Amino acid sequence: RGLSGQQVSVSAEDEGRVVAQRDLPLPDAGDVTVARLALPPLPAGSRRLTFRVRPVPGEIVTENNELRTVLRVRSGPERVLYLEGEPRPEFAFLRRAVSTDSALQVVALLQSAKGKFLRLGVQDSVELGGGFPIRREDLFRYRALILGSMPASFFTGDQLRMLADFVSRRGGGLIVLGGRGSLAEGGFAGTPLAEVLPVGLDAITPIDDTAPATELTMRVTPQGLVHPILQLGPTEAAGARWDSLPPLTSVNRYGSLKPGATSLLVGRPAGGGPEVPVLAVQRFGKGTVALMGVQDTWLWQMSAAIPLEDQTHEMLWKQLIRWSLAGVPDRMEIAAAPSRVGPGEPVVLHARVSDGAFLETNDAVVTAKVTSPSGRTFEVPMAWTLKEDGAYQGRFVTDEEGMYQVEATARRGADTIRAAPAALLADDHGADVEQAELRTPLLQRISGETGGRYYTLSDAGKLVDDVEFTESGVTVRESRDLWDMPAIFLLLVTLLGAEWGYRRWRGLA
């Protein structure tokens, strides 16, 4: 505030090492967010980050130019199931685009013939041995699902409900690709999957497999310019590249966006007509859904107009899959509230426990193991809250300054569930000057509730006289036991005896 037109330097440190830095001009505004600071990939685990703003000339309070927080970096790789109904180029190029990302592992299931599948990236000979999972426990162990050109007739009714539950109940990410066997052309209109999609589907009869594809010229929307899926650089100007990419084709027809959905890329048909959503996203239940309504994003890799070193296609799929994985819960989650406290303040641990089908369980034995900054460990028992299914709580008090590591385990019969480690920061650095400006309404409210008076700087000279002649006094309360005051004690005994004698004389006792 009050530094409009000046330039400040913002840096991010990971355990004392500078990992990002940027010079930012401050706009002519009051209280604004000036920019995002992109961090490079950090090692797995709980990282203690420090963000600093270099003081500028004339700045009075510099103690609040620093913010400390904790970031948990997952170890990975995140496992994503890709189901494809035909060996088309999109299948090969998508897998190749993310193959260099160590944080992602795409497990592919390609139908090569009726009842026969090609499995790629599986952990053992048992995984996906029977094709697409028929049990929720087997499907829900993946964190995201990519659905290619596979018609609705391939799935059973329960499997279609599983796809919807994968998003709404499990909280997973779903990416639906365009193709002749997907969306309305694949017969998904009226199925549970249609309820999940960010666009409406209308039944199409008959389905013409020989119909020509529609060529679409891309245009990025204002929402797409700032969305993490389409970020090609540190500034919004880099997102304009999407408008210059070669046209793609679509064979699918679908309705408009649903309420709550966001269109990031739209396509303009070559023959004219209204623009159609190409890349649309939305939240559904606990999870997220993305629709990529074209069938050949691989053209952005193989077109003669694309330079050989261009990474736009790779970045698109890496960032789209990473976005679908953000916030996907595990069977057990643990977090501390608040995540930043001062030494000596209490902390409440919150845990959520689910079974293999992600149904909340209330009969688990949950224990948290806390490691203090000095390395001392202690256990915190956690009990079911009785207010919400699957919710457990435990409490402890921080007694050291630094980062606390929290690990939690839930046991339910023979089943043992471990949560990904969490962390909290015990640090009151800068808390007293976090909001250093004058807060007149707060001071007036405190003085009114306590019987005092609020003074401005011009009225400060009246404070001495007002304190000397104040009507407020000081009260000291002194408490004594009754037997320490003999006169009152004897008087009380006499009155009780007189009352008993009177009732005896009147025949009432």
Side-chain angles (χ1 to χ4, degrees), residues 175-322:
I175 303 174
V176 180
L177 310 182
R180 296 191 182 275
S182 63
L183 302 174
E185 286 71 14
F188 284 96
T191 67
L193 182 65
E195 301 177 4
V196 176
L197 297 177
V199 296
L201 296 184
D202 297 326
I204 298 176
T205 306
I207 299 176
D208 187 3
D209 293 338
T210 63
T214 302
E215 187 177 89
L216 299 174
T217 301
M218 297 298 133
R219 179 181 68 84
V220 63
T221 65
Q223 295 82 1
L225 286 175
V226 296
H227 201 279
I229 294 178
L230 301 183
Q231 291 296 304
L232 295 177
T235 63
E236 293 184 8
R241 168 158 175 75
W242 298 106
D243 298 343
S244 62
L245 293 174
L248 303 180
T249 63
S250 174
V251 295
N252 299 108
R253 291 169 287 173
Y254 42 81
S256 59
L257 286 175
K258 292 180 179 178
T262 303
S263 181
L264 308 181
L265 281 177
V266 294
R268 185 183 305 107
E275 292 181 331
V276 296
V278 172
L279 176 58
V281 297
Q282 77 168 4
R283 290 204 63 88
F284 186 86
K286 297 180 180 179
T288 54
V289 187
L291 168 69
M292 178 61 76
V294 291
Q295 62 175 352
D296 47 15
T297 62
W298 59 272
L299 291 177
W300 287 345
Q301 178 69 26
M302 297 300 294
S303 174
I306 301 296
L308 182 63
E309 66 277 4
D310 189 272
Q311 296 291 310
T312 303
H313 179 260
E314 287 85 349
M315 291 183 65
L316 168 66
W317 282 109
K318 289 178 182 179
Q319 294 176 172
L320 176 55
I321 297 177
R322 280 176 173 260

Side-chain angles (χ1 to χ4, degrees), residues 12-181:
E13 299 178 7
D14 172 32
E15 304 293 343
R17 179 175 61 92
V18 177
V19 295
Q21 188 169 357
R22 186 177 179 186
D23 293 332
L24 300 171
L26 296 179
D28 296 329
D31 186 6
V32 295
T33 300
V34 291
R36 296 176 179 176
L37 192 63
L39 301 181
L42 301 175
S46 297
R47 318 298 304 177
R48 182 164 53 181
L49 302 181
T50 303
F51 298 90
R52 304 180 192 272
V53 178
R54 185 177 301 171
V56 298
E59 187 173 0
I60 300 176
V61 180
T62 61
E63 289 80 5
N64 58 0
N65 286 26
E66 179 179 311
L67 172 67
R68 300 175 183 178
T69 187
V70 175
L71 175 70
R72 183 170 66 89
V73 181
R74 300 181 66 93
S75 58
E78 308 284 13
R79 308 192 76 233
V80 180
L81 176 59
Y82 180 12
L83 177 64
E84 185 59 79
E86 55 181 316
R88 55 179 182 160
E90 190 78 342
F91 174 78
F93 278 87
L94 190 157
R95 294 187 63 251
R96 188 180 305 169
V98 301
S99 61
T100 58
D101 194 336
S102 60
L104 303 176
Q105 181 183 2
V106 176
V107 181
L109 185 64
L110 171 65
Q111 182 176 241
S112 56
K114 187 175 181 179
K116 295 185 178 180
F117 299 92
L118 173 65
R119 298 178 298 155
L120 300 173
V122 294
Q123 292 180 331
D124 50 47
S125 59
V126 178
E127 184 178 5
L128 301 176
F132 190 76
I134 59 175
R135 298 172 62 247
R136 281 167 168 74
E137 290 81 356
D138 296 331
L139 179 62
F140 287 5
R141 65 178 178 173
Y142 299 99
R143 301 181 65 83
L145 175 63
I146 304 174
L147 184 59
S149 183
M150 182 68 78
S153 58
F154 168 80
F155 303 97
T156 65
D158 188 57
Q159 285 177 323
L160 289 172
R161 286 188 291 272
M162 282 171 50
L163 291 175
D165 290 344
F166 179 83
V167 180
S168 62
R169 179 186 298 175
R170 191 257 183 271
L174 174 64
I175 303 174
V176 180
L177 310 182
R180 296 191 182 275

Side-chain angles (χ1 to χ4, degrees), residues 195-505:
E195 301 177 4
V196 176
L197 297 177
V199 296
L201 296 184
D202 297 326
I204 298 176
T205 306
I207 299 176
D208 187 3
D209 293 338
T210 63
T214 302
E215 187 177 89
L216 299 174
T217 301
M218 297 298 133
R219 179 181 68 84
V220 63
T221 65
Q223 295 82 1
L225 286 175
V226 296
H227 201 279
I229 294 178
L230 301 183
Q231 291 296 304
L232 295 177
T235 63
E236 293 184 8
R241 168 158 175 75
W242 298 106
D243 298 343
S244 62
L245 293 174
L248 303 180
T249 63
S250 174
V251 295
N252 299 108
R253 291 169 287 173
Y254 42 81
S256 59
L257 286 175
K258 292 180 179 178
T262 303
S263 181
L264 308 181
L265 281 177
V266 294
R268 185 183 305 107
E275 292 181 331
V276 296
V278 172
L279 176 58
V281 297
Q282 77 168 4
R283 290 204 63 88
F284 186 86
K286 297 180 180 179
T288 54
V289 187
L291 168 69
M292 178 61 76
V294 291
Q295 62 175 352
D296 47 15
T297 62
W298 59 272
L299 291 177
W300 287 345
Q301 178 69 26
M302 297 300 294
S303 174
I306 301 296
L308 182 63
E309 66 277 4
D310 189 272
Q311 296 291 310
T312 303
H313 179 260
E314 287 85 349
M315 291 183 65
L316 168 66
W317 282 109
K318 289 178 182 179
Q319 294 176 172
L320 176 55
I321 297 177
R322 280 176 173 260
W323 172 84
S324 69
L325 293 166
V328 176
D330 294 321
R331 287 182 57 189
M332 182 177 181
E333 299 274 334
I334 187 166
S339 59
R340 179 186 177 188
V341 297
E345 296 183 9
V347 175
V348 180
L349 298 178
H350 299 271
R352 299 194 67 88
V353 182
S354 305
D355 61 10
F358 277 77
L359 296 175
E360 292 81 2
T361 60
N362 303 326
D363 57 350
V365 179
V366 182
T367 304
K369 177 183 176 183
V370 181
T371 303
S372 68
S374 63
R376 179 176 59 90
T377 61
F378 55 92
E379 289 189 350
V380 178
M382 305 186 68
W384 177 37
T385 62
L386 303 177
K387 297 180 180 179
E388 188 177 0
D389 289 338
Y392 297 78
Q393 281 188 2
R395 299 173 183 269
F396 74 97
V397 178
T398 59
D399 54 2
E400 301 178 24
E401 183 175 349
M403 185 169 61
Y404 285 76
Q405 301 280 355
V406 181
E407 300 176 356
T409 304
R411 291 179 175 83
R412 186 169 177 259
D415 190 12
T416 300
I417 312 170
R418 290 181 173 82
L424 67 103
L425 189 62
D427 176 25
D428 56 1
H429 175 80
D432 53 341
V433 290
E434 187 172 350
Q435 292 181 319
E437 68 276 4
L438 176 64
R439 288 176 281 177
T440 300
L442 175 62
L443 297 176
Q444 290 175 339
R445 180 174 62 84
I446 294 176
S447 62
E449 293 178 353
T450 58
R453 187 181 302 177
Y454 171 75
Y455 293 86
T456 62
L457 186 60
S458 59
D459 296 335
K462 302 177 182 179
L463 178 61
V464 177
D465 295 335
D466 291 344
V467 169
E468 182 178 356
F469 298 105
T470 180
E471 296 179 358
S472 301
V474 178
T475 302
V476 178
R477 180 176 297 177
E478 181 179 355
S479 300
R480 294 184 181 182
D481 293 329
L482 186 59
W483 46 83
D484 289 337
M485 295 179 289
I488 297 178
F489 179 74
L490 292 176
L491 177 61
L492 180 60
V493 171
T494 303
L495 291 175
L496 289 175
E499 187 266 345
W500 179 84
Y502 177 77
R503 288 191 292 109
R504 177 83 174 181
W505 175 61

